[in-house]
Amino acid sequence: MENKNLTSNLNVDALFLGPKSENRVFFQEMMDYALREHMHWRADFHPEDAPLVTPVDQHMPDFRNTLYRTEGILRQLSSKLKTTSVPWFSPRYLGHMNADTLMVSNIAYVMTMLYNPNNCAHEASPTTTELEVEVGRDLCTMFGYHPNKSWGHITSGGTVANYEGVWVARNLKTVPLAMAQHPKARDLVAGFSERELLNMSPAAILDLTDELKKRGIFEEVRSLTARGVGVKKGQLGKFLVPMSKHYSWMKAMDVLGIGQENIVPLPVDEHYRTDVAKMREITFRLIEEGTPILGMVSVVGSTEEGSIDHVDEVIRLREECEERYGASFYIHVDAAYGGYVRAMFLDEENRFMEYDELVKRYRAEDIIPAGVAWPKREVYEGFKAMAEVDSITVDPHKVGYVQYAAGAVCMKDKRIVDLISYHAAYVFEECGDDAAEDKKVVLGASIMEGSKAGATAAAVWAAHRLVPLNIAGYGMVIARGIVTADWFHAKLASAEPFVVGHRKFDVRPVMHPDFHMVDFTFKEIGNDCLEDHNRLNKRMYEICSYASGRTYTNDFLTSSTSLASHEYGDTPAIFVRERGFAASEWERVQSVYILRSAVMTHFLRDAQRFEEYWSELRDIFTAKLAQIVEMEEKENEQLAAA
Ligand SMILES: *Cc1c(COP(=O)(O)O)cnc(C)c1O
């Protein structure tokens, strides 16, 4: 049998330019190649055509002057960029979900950009539209969707992908209502009450659309759905989103006319995952009081905590609602942040590995070493169940290690696209399983956006060809961050206090991460005032971020957030109590300020190197705390003098 162990084929360090531009020779060579090839391409287009700009033209004073000005502007831009850009590439940056990006994507983007394809329409991007369709298939396959029955495409980011999820859910929900309005479709839903029409399952509705297409009335019925007639106040019911929600969900309700007041926030548990018991309770209550549920969102990688929702429990809940009440709803997973982590679970045949088999392989190939407890069972089950949801948001520009702007959305059943499409409905129908035809699609007529860079499709496509979406590809890259995050968490959990003069500070993590987001806070030992704690951490953020005005010269950069009761209920009270504050402090302040580090860097996955990094980081933290103490003392002096 052929040896399937391909992991040795991919060297993670060879994927990136590197924090010291270590791979500069190769990078430059390939960039030059991209430029040279493009220039040849132009020149070779009808070689019989004479050049239209001559050396004489090029020596005219205003010509020279225009080039000087061009150069001046570019030098100015470069200087601006170098002064204030954030050094994502360095392991000294542990903040938002940013790290070094793949060389292959950087070069593919620049290479393609020169040809300027527009993926709005196949005729403006014969090459890159096909790459985008391929990328969509890659992602659908990673999520466990059937490659020929599903549909995925690139968006500008997770925000627009989430909009598209709501868009299809909204239009789908109104198909049964529209059918009841149409004389030639009415019989298909005869005897259904409005409530029953609004509680049909996504799969059942899509099957009905097949019948509408057969009868030749699909377009007529489609124009009677929300896309044609709009949405009546509150008619479609509630949209359930975890409290940890990204604010794109608020925007989505606004933009798509559902209304923000129709969001029902789902409380989170002590792991900042959707609280399953409360989710069930709220869902049953809504159904029992007769309120339809438009959709439910599960988050795979919450933006602030990196928590992975129990997607399997959401699937189970829907099945239960269908059986008990005949009430169903749409399920969307917002995996903008954590979507690519699903590659960690797939073998080279895209099979979702059994838990024990997975752990065995992690150990055998030193992907996740012993001592790092990953994945937790619940996290494993959450990722596994993604194959069963209706649609998924994922951002290549986050854990796909591709530069901006690259998001994506995947739909389990591609028939759903006909509900938002401005094509005649047969486009996907006729193509069936014919991959070649599918690729000629006019994307602009089937997605939210219009004109868009074909270069993005090329960048993501190139990434996927080099780094497969399985354990031997992205799994290897992502595992480095997961392991480092676990080590970082362990150091924070056991760190000795930092001593500044007669004052002592300790640091502690908020919780163990579900993959690679580590949240933590500093606290002065002996302090029992939560506001002082919050002020200390806010100052820490300010001097460890662009807010210091010293981005390029800073020793360490991170991000931060507030966990407040209006978004998280009393969940943060657990950490506040663990941190030694009285319950009354949480009651009074209702918010805890934390530092937030997405550990995506692949450079620290070496025990020795990590020890050195941590020891340096301790010194940096001590120096930063000393800086804050000094600032406070100055302020106190000024107060006393005033
Ligand atoms: C980042 C993020 C988004 C938004 O994605 P953009 O690419 O910034 O538009 C949505 N949801 C979650 C959970 C995210 O982390």
Side-chain angles (χ1 to χ4, degrees):
M1 219 177 107
E2 168 195 344
N3 181 7
K4 284 197 223 127
N5 180 1
L6 299 171
T7 50
S8 58
N9 286 346
L10 191 74
N11 184 316
V12 175
D13 293 320
L15 296 175
F16 301 93
L17 177 55
K20 296 279 134 193
S21 299
E22 289 88 340
N23 294 321
R24 74 178 73 199
V25 173
F26 176 77
F27 191 68
Q28 176 133 28
E29 206 173 282
M30 295 316 296
M31 276 290 181
D32 285 348
Y33 170 76
L35 304 182
R36 270 198 323 269
E37 286 289 291
H38 179 76
M39 291 188 283
H40 286 312
W41 186 70
R42 287 191 180 210
D44 291 347
F45 181 66
H46 286 278
E48 72 277 17
D49 292 349
L52 298 175
V53 182
T54 65
V56 175
D57 298 332
Q58 288 169 327
H59 281 90
M60 298 297 278
D62 56 349
F63 191 101
R64 302 298 315 162
N65 191 38
T66 302
L67 294 190
Y68 287 138
R69 281 175 46 218
T70 305
E71 184 181 335
I73 291 162
L74 291 173
R75 284 183 186 279
Q76 195 187 349
L77 173 63
S78 177
S79 143
K80 278 178 190 287
L81 288 169
K82 284 162 71 179
T83 313
T84 47
S85 290
V86 186
W88 310 128
F89 55 81
S90 169
R92 288 180 186 271
Y93 181 85
L94 297 179
H96 294 288
M97 31 303 239
N98 289 100
D100 207 352
T101 51
L102 298 164
M103 280 197 287
V104 76
S105 299
N106 299 165
I107 298 161
Y109 192 98
V110 170
M111 182 185 275
T112 311
M113 177 195 72
L114 297 168
Y115 297 82
N116 199 26
N118 176 1
N119 275 22
C120 183
H122 190 262
E123 71 166 338
S125 53
T127 312
T128 51
T129 287
E130 298 186 8
L131 300 184
E132 179 158 351
V133 172
E134 219 176 306
V135 161
R137 273 171 205 263
D138 295 339
L139 292 170
C140 285
T141 304
M142 174 171 71
F143 293 131
Y145 287 173
H146 189 295
N148 294 332
K149 294 195 173 133
S150 56
W151 161 248
H153 69 86
I154 291 173
T155 62
S156 65
T159 301
V160 170
N162 284 346
Y163 292 174
E164 220 169 283
V166 177
W167 193 18
V168 291
R170 185 197 71 173
N171 288 4
L172 184 74
K173 194 77 170 175
T174 54
V175 168
L177 295 176
M179 289 172 66
Q181 300 294 314
H182 193 286
K184 290 185 191 155
R186 206 167 279 160
D187 61 300
L188 294 168
V189 289
F192 281 57
S193 67
E194 173 163 326
R195 187 165 148 188
E196 283 165 333
L197 292 173
L198 283 167
N199 277 321
M200 283 175 79
S201 77
I205 300 172
L206 289 170
D207 288 343
L208 283 172
T209 63
D210 285 345
E211 180 59 26
L212 298 176
K213 287 170 190 168
K214 271 193 212 132
R215 293 184 183 187
I217 52 170
F218 178 81
E219 280 85 355
E220 286 171 31
V221 173
R222 183 169 69 178
S223 65
L224 296 170
T225 65
R227 87 189 222 144
V229 302
V231 178
K232 272 193 270 169
K233 184 174 189 292
Q235 182 190 27
L236 303 186
K238 298 297 180 187
F239 200 71
L240 279 52
V241 186
M243 277 183 162
S244 61
K245 65 185 175 291
H246 189 269
Y247 73 117
S248 54
W249 291 107
M250 303 302 285
K251 291 198 216 165
M253 293 298 110
D254 169 359
V255 171
L256 286 147
I258 313 276
Q260 290 172 355
E261 66 178 33
N262 291 309
I263 281 195
V264 174
L266 299 174
V268 293
D269 65 15
E270 70 273 23
H271 303 284
Y272 292 81
R273 306 177 190 138
T274 302
D275 185 314
V276 173
K278 293 193 177 129
M279 164 183 86
R280 292 171 58 83
E281 213 178 282
I282 290 170
T283 306
F284 294 146
R285 179 171 52 71
L286 286 170
I287 294 175
E288 279 164 13
E289 70 186 31
T291 308
I293 295 173
L294 168 58
M296 171 108 69
V297 173
S298 244
V299 181
V300 167
S302 62
T303 310
E304 311 296 5
E305 308 85 7
S307 293
I308 308 291
D309 271 346
H310 300 269
V311 181
D312 50 322
E313 292 288 350
V314 179
I315 296 289
R316 195 165 306 146
L317 174 61
R318 177 164 72 179
E319 284 165 5
E320 228 176 293
C321 291
E322 288 171 358
E323 275 166 31
R324 264 170 73 178
Y325 304 101
S328 191
F329 47 84
Y330 191 89
I331 302 175
H332 180 89
V333 167
D334 182 357
Y337 176 20
Y340 273 83
V341 179
R342 202 171 192 273
M344 292 281 304
F345 303 91
L346 302 179
D347 70 8
E348 286 84 344
E349 265 82 53
N350 297 317
R351 196 176 52 87
F352 200 92
M353 286 182 266
E354 294 300 326
Y355 189 84
D356 297 336
E357 177 192 3
L358 184 76
V359 172
K360 218 164 118 192
R361 186 153 175 196
Y362 285 168
R363 298 288 183 270
E365 296 174 28
D366 194 35
I367 294 168
I368 305 279
V372 175
W374 201 88
K376 298 165 196 160
R377 260 295 175 177
E378 317 87 87
V379 168
Y380 171 88
E381 297 298 340
F383 275 105
K384 189 171 185 186
M386 287 173 80
E388 296 171 66
V389 306
D390 299 307
S391 51
I392 302 171
T393 289
V394 57
D395 270 350
H397 66 212
K398 284 182 180 159
V399 183
Y401 293 84
V402 173
Q403 71 281 350
Y404 294 111
V409 65
C410 296
M411 322 241 174
K412 184 185 173 70
D413 186 331
K414 69 180 171 187
R415 293 177 298 177
I416 209 166
V417 181
D418 286 333
L419 295 170
I420 56 168
S421 158
Y422 283 77
H423 283 299
Y426 53 77
V427 173
F428 285 112
E429 256 314 274
E430 300 269 288
C431 295
D433 287 350
D434 185 345
E437 274 306 303
D438 240 24
K439 288 184 173 182
K440 296 219 171 91
V441 61
V442 177
L443 283 167
S446 307
I447 67 174
M448 188 158 274
E449 288 153 279
S451 293
K452 56 190 211 138
T456 302
V460 183
W461 175 85
H464 290 183
R465 300 286 74 74
L466 180 63
V467 189
L469 296 156
N470 60 39
I471 184 61
Y474 271 100
M476 301 263 293
V477 182
I478 295 165
R480 289 210 181 179
I482 288 175
V483 172
T484 310
D486 186 87
W487 290 346
F488 186 46
H489 173 271
K491 289 292 186 199
L492 294 171
S494 63
E496 293 292 318
F498 300 84
V499 182
V500 179
H502 62 280
R503 297 170 68 176
K504 281 189 184 160
F505 301 83
D506 71 7
V507 68
R508 287 294 175 263
V510 175
M511 60 177 174
H512 189 265
D514 278 354
F515 62 118
H516 66 212
M517 183 69 84
V518 181
D519 292 344
F520 59 102
T521 71
F522 289 90
K523 175 174 181 277
E524 176 157 17
I525 294 175
N527 167 43
D528 51 17
C529 169
L530 184 55
E531 276 152 336
D532 285 351
H533 167 275
N534 289 352
R535 193 175 315 113
L536 172 68
N537 286 287
K538 186 151 195 293
R539 288 212 152 139
M540 199 64 172
Y541 165 69
E542 282 164 0
I543 60 176
C544 293
S545 70
Y546 81 102
S548 63
R550 295 196 313 124
T551 308
Y552 193 63
T553 53
N554 215 324
D555 299 325
F556 177 72
L557 296 132
T558 191
S559 67
S560 69
T561 191
S562 280
L563 304 177
S565 61
H566 68 89
E567 278 177 324
Y568 289 98
D570 279 332
T571 299
I574 300 169
F575 174 66
V576 169
R577 195 175 52 232
E578 278 171 14
R579 216 63 185 95
F581 293 102
S584 56
E585 282 299 282
W586 171 254
E587 294 300 318
R588 194 170 61 81
V589 182
Q590 301 278 306
S591 170
V592 57
Y593 197 93
I594 61 163
L595 302 171
R596 169 177 168 273
S597 290
V599 186
M600 285 179 62
T601 179
H602 60 281
F603 300 113
L604 299 174
R605 169 62 173 92
D606 173 275
Q608 171 79 22
R609 192 183 281 176
F610 184 77
E611 283 301 326
E612 288 162 16
Y613 177 86
W614 170 251
S615 141
E616 250 179 74
L617 192 55
R618 269 203 69 101
D619 294 345
I620 293 169
F621 284 157
T622 308
K624 300 274 185 194
L625 289 164
Q627 199 183 330
I628 292 172
V629 166
E630 197 183 322
M631 274 158 62
E632 279 178 6
E633 279 166 7
K634 268 203 199 118
E635 280 166 10
N636 290 342
E637 273 167 34
Q638 278 164 358
L639 274 178

